[in-house]
Amino acid sequence: MAALLLLLPFSRIYGLITDIRNWLYDRDLYAVYKSDRCVIAVGNLTVGGTGKTPMIEYLIKRYQFTGRAVPLETATLSRGYGRHTKGFRIASKQDSASTIGDEPLQLFRKFNQTVRICVGERRAEAIQKLLASYPETNRILLDDAFQHRAVKPQFNLLLTDYNRPFYTDHPFPAGRLRERRHGARRADAVVVTKCPLTLSDIEQNRIRESIRVYARSETPVFFAGLQYSFPVPFSGLGVFANLDRVMLVSGLGNADPLEQYVSRTFRMRTHHRFADHYAYSRSELDQLLAALQPGESLLTTEKDWVKLSALLKPDELNRLPLYYLPVEMAFLDNSKTEFDRLVDEIPFKKR
């Protein structure tokens, strides 16, 4: 508490700086690019994982598998955090986590036949380059773009973690907010992520009212949890083995929900936590493999799988007891129907 009190004055200064920046964008004193295509921004107010990639995947599946899009009509665009390249880049089979980032690579491995996966730190410039090369693109999903004011999206989707809601947090350095809480007023919808799937209506209403102190009164608020699937072998071959004893490895912004699920579902001996978007080395992987006990498997996230698997030889992929855990967004109660209706109604211009 003493440290918080000491840091709060600096948080107020940081919050004032972000307020001025937003004021300049709101009044068009900073250049803002607005595409004539459907641009949906997914982001948050805090640093750390709030489930942005599962949400991007949910939107991809919503548009691709409900007959609302044709192949390669939709593109995703992110900064490509952790990559060793610069500028605009469209993912290809030659790319790795070091060239496009771990989450874009994860998306590419899943959706490369139907969606273009792109990275570019300057989003406005990247969108224009994308459309110049592929004018048939009609929908662009911006990942982690709530504070990227240089692009004005058609729809701003704000995510907040149930375990760390933005309305109880503070700006840097006293807290984890990238800007002050009232930045939520830019949101066209808010999704509270990582909720318990049994979250009561009373608790939902309490959270909804807390959010509306800072968001617009008409902004809809939805609730979603994370739904884990059966573990998948690193090789992608064979059937799911009935795992029992596991060693968990993760590089996430907030790994607590994952740890809670794994400890409930398997006999988890230990959890090796790494920083978000961690770039593993072969020597670190060897240390993890050496720590495995007889009859124990290494279990990790899909985001970490794309990096760890690249360090292995083909025979190791098939031989070693290595698995990743797919996860997807699961809306609570009737939220799914309401949310789907909302995103289906986002203005979309067919060319």
Side-chain angles (χ1 to χ4, degrees), residues 4-287:
L4 175 63
L5 292 175
L6 287 173
L7 292 173
L8 278 176
F10 298 100
S11 288
R12 294 190 182 100
I13 295 172
Y14 180 87
L16 177 61
I17 292 171
T18 59
D19 281 351
I20 294 172
R21 175 180 181 270
N22 283 324
W23 184 87
L24 292 169
Y25 273 114
D26 291 341
R27 283 150 183 80
D28 295 326
L29 297 174
Y30 279 169
V32 177
Y33 171 74
K34 184 172 182 179
S35 174
D36 63 349
R37 316 301 164 87
C38 178
V39 177
I40 301 173
V42 177
N44 52 23
L45 289 175
T46 62
V47 171
T50 53
K52 293 185 295 296
T53 300
M55 176 56 73
I56 292 288
E57 291 194 6
Y58 183 92
L59 292 172
I60 290 173
K61 293 174 183 177
R62 176 66 192 169
Y63 290 125
Q64 293 303 313
F65 304 138
T66 56
R68 293 184 55 85
V70 298
L72 303 180
E73 184 181 53
T74 298
T76 70
L77 175 61
S78 66
R79 181 177 52 166
Y81 187 87
R83 64 184 175 127
H84 299 156
T85 58
K86 297 291 185 182
F88 176 66
R89 191 180 185 97
I90 298 177
S92 71
K93 292 181 180 180
Q94 286 70 47
D95 278 304
S96 65
S98 66
T99 60
I100 60 173
D102 49 15
E103 289 166 340
L105 181 61
Q106 176 183 326
L107 293 175
F108 179 78
R109 289 190 175 184
K110 281 187 172 182
F111 304 111
N112 69 86
Q113 297 299 314
T114 56
V115 177
R116 283 196 177 87
I117 309 301
C118 311
V119 295
E121 55 272 28
R122 296 180 180 274
R123 312 293 176 86
E125 177 182 311
I127 291 174
Q128 293 173 74
K129 288 184 176 180
L130 169 65
L131 295 179
S133 299
Y134 299 100
E136 66 272 22
T137 304
N138 271 317
R139 184 185 293 107
I140 302 169
L141 307 178
L142 298 182
D143 184 17
D144 197 12
F146 198 76
Q147 283 79 35
H148 198 87
R149 302 295 309 277
V151 174
K152 183 173 179 58
Q154 272 73 26
F155 194 83
N156 237 332
L157 182 57
L158 175 65
L159 309 185
T160 186
D161 188 334
Y162 167 82
N163 305 286
R164 300 184 303 193
F166 75 85
Y167 54 80
T168 64
D169 209 344
H170 302 280
F172 291 130
R176 301 173 62 88
L177 293 185
R178 297 171 171 179
E179 58 179 297
R180 293 209 292 169
R181 300 171 187 174
H182 59 239
R185 289 190 61 81
R186 298 197 305 278
D188 296 302
V190 178
V191 178
V192 184
T193 62
K194 303 185 181 180
C195 296
L197 298 181
T198 56
L199 189 66
S200 69
D201 290 342
I202 293 175
E203 180 70 359
Q204 289 183 34
N205 288 331
R206 183 192 67 78
I207 295 171
R208 188 177 287 111
E209 291 305 312
S210 297
I211 289 172
R212 285 179 173 160
V213 171
Y214 303 100
R216 303 191 305 272
S217 59
E218 71 275 12
T219 302
V221 179
F222 302 94
F223 297 86
L226 294 177
Q227 185 168 300
Y228 295 93
S229 302
F230 291 121
V232 177
F234 268 31
S235 65
L237 303 174
V239 295
F240 161 67
N242 187 20
L243 296 187
D244 180 22
R245 298 172 55 219
V246 301
M247 178 178 73
L248 181 61
V249 176
S250 69
L252 301 173
N254 178 18
D256 291 344
L258 172 68
E259 181 177 293
Q260 292 164 11
Y261 172 79
V262 172
S263 62
R264 290 195 311 266
T265 310
F266 309 95
R267 285 198 293 167
M268 184 185 73
R269 179 175 59 86
T270 186
H271 181 187
H272 294 273
R273 290 178 179 240
F274 293 86
D276 196 15
H277 302 283
Y278 190 76
Y280 300 92
S281 67
R282 177 66 206 219
S283 63
E284 288 169 326
L285 176 56
D286 286 338
Q287 291 175 22

